Amino acid sequence: MQADERNLIDRAAKGDGQAFSELLSAQESRMYAVALRMCGNHEDAQDCLQEAMLRVYRAISGFKGQSSFSTWVYRITMNTCLDELRRNKRRKATSLDEKLETGWSPSDDLDTPEHHALSAERRRALDRAIHALPEDMRSAIVLRDIQGCAYDEIADILGTNVGTIKSRISRGRARLREILSGQMELFDRAGV
Amino acid sequence: MNCREFMDQLDAYLDGEMAPPGQCEFLRHAQDCSGCSCELKNAEALSGALKHMNDGLRVPLGAQAAWRAAVRRESGRRKGRVVYRALSTVAAAFVLLAGTTVMFRSTGVLDFGSDSAAIEDVHRSPVAAPPAEFYTSQPELAAVPAPRYASIEADGTADDAEMSPKMATFAAAEPAEPLIAEEPESIPTDQAWERLLAVSAVREMYSETFDLTREAIAGLVDEYGGTMLADAVLDEGGGRRATIAADVPSEELDAFLEALDFVGNVTYEALNRTDVSTKYYDAGGRLETMRLEQDRLNALIAEADDAAELEALEAQLEGVYAKIDELESTLRGFSTQLDHSRVDIVLNEGAPLAATVIAGGEKGEGGARQGFARSLDSLGKFFADMGVSLAVIAPYAGVGIALIGVIWVGVVLVGKRRRHE
């Protein structure tokens, strides 16, 4: 852990709002990405982000540095998302198509109408497929294949062992390929 | 490598965890097998798409502002919670202390030799024997055997209906032989000398059902074997007021007062104790002396030869009889005081505030002022008792807190060690 980060954590633990804001600004985009991929829509992702930030704020005084700060924050975010998903299951189901929004901001150089349409179609297909995965597989796939976390870090975040994580990722990838088997032409062109 | 092995190795290949020799074999199989080649192509395409899913993703400004605002609110609430917790802790400690004080009061823990304790022990509490000077300094008592006070209770069942058990002890005492002859053999030096307290009580109360309550009080006096001494009603226009006096057997006083609390709303209560021990025993000793004198004079009269001497002795005897009557009367009065407690009750009609206000003028204001002073006094006493309670429980609380602290430190240390392991 870097000295700057430790210093910010110490200050935030003592209630320094400025330090907390500075510290979490570096984590905010990753937290939001995880929330968006887990929840599948902006609205729930924003709620999760806010709730996760509050949980981090409440718990930061108890952070002992046994894992990296980002791992700890990921863990809290993932738990918040899973709680939110469980709550959502109890709510009235809404159309998946209505809920799936990806929040993709196309880069300028690739923003041709054809590319934009293809990207939109591809991300919808991916989001649908990810959302169709069971929660345990989805969380592992999101952390590994989207966020690029290492296996041991994922195991730490999800509170399980590396073997289980590898198994979930393997089964998750196979399930995704199976779900997307009829739409693989969307992914033929390299790049996004 | 067959297709099954190829699929088993697919994830390792995608994660870049495959060793170079294995990787060559893996790719060679993909070249030879169209199905596996297709699987590999799809997996790589999918993996690439997933890797780039977050490209260009930005946190909406609204979401950024929302979480920062939520954290600011939480920070404000946390500060409020600190104050709230501090206040709650103080309030809880106060309530605990007040509760403890009330409990201590009801169980008599705080009565360190106070009057209420004396009341309970009125016929029981032994006190130090009066000093020898008590007898020697008084001529009549000089040669009188000290009364056997310890036997009073045992002798309390004396048949003399008119006399109290204590009087009966004096009356039944065997006359001593010569008046001046002997050193008093039983001047009590280490014997217990019973403390005698005459108890009286005052109750001020109000009731909406004035007449019924008055009747109920009279019924209670009767029920507890007491006597109504006075029952006067005064109507001041703003509500009636009854002044009731009753004598209640001392042993029934507590029960009577407790019952009284149920018939009306008590606004003031007082218990007065008067220590009559010295006067009582003094009179008892004098009576004893007079009886000895009576016997002595009777003996002299029996032996008198001279009429003049006889006349003089009989005149002395008359004087002794008069003194005996007087002392017996005094003792009877004390007995009545000890065996019966006077209870003065003021019963107001209606609510106490209304009665006070309606009475108006200086009297009403005075009543209100008096009531306020009483309340302040009670409050002051309660706070004083709270201080005493605090002093009583402080050592136990200290030990308890220290114990909790030790347990907490132990739990933290064990937790740390486990985490370390």
Side-chain angles (χ1 to χ4, degrees):
Chain A
M1 189 181 297
Q2 291 180 346
D4 283 354
E5 190 181 60
R6 184 70 252 180
N7 181 38
L8 286 173
I9 290 168
D10 289 343
R11 282 168 51 203
K14 288 172 187 163
D16 185 338
Q18 182 66 36
F20 182 81
S21 185
E22 196 177 330
L23 184 66
L24 269 295
S25 292
Q27 309 290 339
E28 153 189 84
S29 58
R30 274 177 285 184
M31 290 169 75
Y32 184 71
V34 167
L36 183 63
R37 299 309 159 208
M38 288 300 292
C39 298
N41 67 84
H42 279 295
E43 191 187 331
D44 290 346
Q46 288 182 23
D47 289 347
C48 281
L49 175 68
Q50 184 174 318
E51 177 60 23
M53 287 292 186
L54 284 175
R55 288 189 187 186
V56 171
Y57 182 74
R58 287 172 192 147
I60 197 164
S61 58
F63 176 67
K64 304 294 181 198
Q66 286 155 357
S67 59
S68 76
F69 185 68
S70 64
T71 300
W72 184 70
V73 168
Y74 264 137
R75 190 186 308 147
I76 290 176
T77 309
M78 189 56 82
N79 287 336
T80 308
C81 292
L82 293 172
D83 290 345
E84 177 68 19
L85 288 170
R86 277 172 210 134
R87 265 200 301 275
N88 276 351
K89 273 183 188 171
R90 290 194 290 271
R91 287 185 203 152
K92 190 180 172 183
T94 53
S95 160
L96 190 61
D97 285 334
E98 278 175 29
K99 295 204 80 173
L100 290 174
E101 315 158 23
T102 57
W104 225 311
S105 299
S107 51
D108 295 338
D109 54 343
L110 294 174
D111 196 18
T112 61
E114 185 195 355
H115 185 269
H116 186 76
L118 183 63
S119 292
E121 184 60 30
R122 182 165 44 219
R123 68 177 178 256
R124 265 196 294 275
L126 269 178
D127 274 325
R128 251 188 239 112
I130 290 169
H131 210 78
L133 292 175
E135 281 169 15
D136 57 343
M137 286 183 201
R138 196 190 316 169
S139 52
I141 290 287
V142 165
L143 290 170
R144 174 66 194 171
D145 288 342
I146 302 178
Q147 297 301 119
C149 297
Y151 280 111
D152 52 354
E153 189 183 5
I154 297 170
D156 196 3
I157 292 168
L158 297 179
T160 186
N161 57 61
V162 174
T164 304
I165 293 302
K166 282 189 172 178
S167 166
R168 284 182 192 172
I169 288 172
S170 178
R171 284 184 292 124
R173 284 171 179 168
R175 184 76 69 87
L176 279 179
R177 286 197 298 273
E178 186 186 330
I179 293 168
L180 295 167
S181 57
Q183 300 168 282
M184 284 314 292
E185 71 280 359
L186 292 171
F187 304 95
D188 281 348
R189 287 172 59 178
V192 178
Chain B
M1 178 178 282
N2 58 30
C3 293
R4 185 184 174 84
E5 287 168 342
F6 179 88
M7 290 308 293
D8 287 344
Q9 301 281 322
L10 183 56
D11 286 309
Y13 176 77
L14 292 173
D15 290 328
E17 292 179 343
M18 194 177 274
Q23 196 171 336
C24 287
E25 196 181 346
F26 179 83
L27 290 173
R28 204 164 34 246
H29 178 81
Q31 280 175 349
D32 297 342
C33 176
S34 60
C36 290
S37 173
C38 185
E39 282 291 340
L40 178 60
K41 190 181 161 195
N42 287 346
E44 284 182 321
L46 187 57
S47 179
L50 287 169
K51 264 185 196 129
H52 292 284
M53 263 192 101
N54 286 341
D55 288 356
L57 177 65
R58 293 186 206 101
V59 182
L61 291 176
Q64 293 183 34
W67 78 255
R68 285 187 167 81
V71 168
R72 270 197 301 276
R73 279 197 302 276
E74 177 69 13
S75 172
R77 272 200 292 271
R78 184 185 281 186
K79 282 173 190 162
R81 271 201 294 271
V82 170
V83 175
Y84 175 76
R85 275 181 195 160
L87 287 176
S88 302
T89 306
V90 171
F94 183 82
V95 167
L96 192 66
L97 189 58
T100 309
T101 304
V102 169
M103 194 183 73
F104 281 179
R105 274 184 157 195
S106 63
T107 53
V109 172
L110 301 177
D111 296 331
F112 301 108
S114 70
D115 286 343
S116 58
I119 285 182
E120 284 189 8
D121 295 345
V122 62
H123 294 304
R124 285 181 272 113
S125 63
V127 296
E133 291 78 1
F134 176 76
Y135 301 100
T136 54
S137 63
Q138 301 187 50
E140 298 96 323
L141 298 178
V144 178
R148 289 180 172 79
Y149 301 111
S151 67
I152 286 175
E153 288 292 312
D155 297 339
T157 50
D159 288 334
D160 191 340
E162 286 195 19
M163 290 185 176
S164 73
K166 297 169 189 70
M167 273 186 72
T169 306
F170 289 116
E174 289 293 322
E177 279 292 309
L179 191 60
I180 312 171
E182 293 178 16
E183 185 76 16
E185 70 175 79
S186 60
I187 287 179
T189 52
D190 54 356
Q191 260 183 322
W193 189 41
E194 189 181 8
R195 192 178 174 197
L196 303 174
L197 296 169
V199 185
S200 64
V202 178
R203 285 287 185 278
E204 194 170 324
M205 57 208 299
Y206 69 91
S207 171
E208 304 282 351
T209 52
F210 182 80
D211 293 316
L212 283 175
T213 305
R214 216 170 123 228
E215 281 175 24
I217 291 171
L220 280 179
V221 171
D222 190 44
E223 184 185 333
Y224 284 92
T227 311
M228 288 290 280
L229 302 175
D231 184 5
V233 178
L234 177 66
D235 192 346
E236 294 176 321
R240 288 175 292 169
R241 167 180 290 212
T243 308
I244 300 165
D247 257 356
V248 178
S250 295
E251 64 267 23
E252 298 286 356
L253 180 65
D254 288 344
F256 175 76
L257 293 176
E258 206 171 306
L260 206 56
D261 292 343
F262 288 97
V263 300
N265 303 294
V266 176
T267 53
Y268 175 70
E269 57 182 49
L271 206 60
N272 304 314
R273 285 151 296 269
T274 309
D275 192 339
V276 296
S277 311
T278 307
K279 289 178 182 172
Y280 184 87
Y281 293 127
D282 184 25
R286 285 169 193 271
L287 178 63
E288 190 79 11
T289 306
M290 286 302 110
R291 289 200 181 284
L292 291 171
E293 179 68 1
Q294 177 194 349
D295 291 340
R296 188 183 71 88
L297 289 171
N298 279 331
L300 288 174
I301 287 169
E303 292 168 6
D305 319 323
D306 189 326
E309 187 189 354
L310 191 64
E311 193 176 341
L313 287 170
E314 281 180 346
Q316 279 186 44
L317 191 60
E318 285 299 319
V320 168
Y321 281 142
K323 281 195 174 177
I324 287 175
D325 284 345
E326 185 189 327
L327 288 167
E328 281 181 352
S329 170
T330 304
L331 282 175
R332 214 175 279 121
F334 282 134
S335 291
T336 306
Q337 277 187 49
L338 292 169
D339 294 342
H340 290 81
S341 298
R342 183 184 166 109
V343 181
D344 289 301
I345 303 160
V346 176
L347 173 65
N348 292 308
E349 186 173 19
L353 189 60
T356 305
V357 172
I358 291 166
E362 287 181 12
K363 191 167 184 179
E365 286 168 15
R369 212 176 296 128
Q370 198 180 1
F372 182 66
R374 269 186 218 143
S375 303
L376 278 184
D377 187 45
S378 298
L379 200 62
K381 280 179 184 164
F382 189 77
F383 277 117
D385 280 352
M386 275 177 74
V388 178
S389 300
L390 185 62
V392 170
I393 64 172
Y396 303 103
V399 170
I401 290 168
L403 203 61
I404 290 168
V406 167
I407 292 169
W408 184 76
V409 167
V411 168
V412 168
L413 288 177
V414 168
K416 270 188 179 175
R417 178 170 290 181
R418 279 188 182 167
R419 278 199 295 273
H420 185 69
E421 285 166 2

